[in-house]
Amino acid sequence: MIATAVETESETLDYLVNTYGQDSIDAILDIWDAVEDGELTYREASATVEIEHVDFLRGASELGLFER
């Protein structure tokens, strides 16, 4: 079960990099403070970093940003 979870996380992050470029994960991390501070909604943040909304949310989830 744990191996499957790690594999799924790796696949999600690989997908982000392959689809949106090497800087996509950093982009999510960099803009997350604005989301947490209420300056941007999830949708506005995903549009700002030019990542499809659902992919942005999946990436944020895999990076553990919802648990911060």
Side-chain angles (χ1 to χ4, degrees), residues 3-67:
T4 302
V6 170
E7 183 178 325
T8 301
E9 177 180 334
S10 177
E11 289 173 3
T12 300
L13 298 179
D14 286 346
Y15 171 80
L16 281 172
V17 170
N18 292 332
T19 304
Y20 301 102
Q22 190 64 38
D23 296 333
S24 59
I25 294 179
D26 287 338
I28 293 171
L29 293 169
D30 291 345
I31 204 163
W32 197 255
D33 286 336
V35 172
E36 285 186 326
D37 292 343
E39 297 169 21
L40 295 172
T41 64
Y42 297 134
R43 192 164 299 280
E44 291 168 333
S46 63
T48 299
V49 296
E50 299 179 348
I51 297 175
E52 289 292 324
H53 185 61
V54 68
D55 294 337
F56 178 86
L57 294 176
R58 285 183 185 139
S61 177
E62 293 301 334
L63 293 167
L65 298 177
F66 292 115
E67 289 87 35

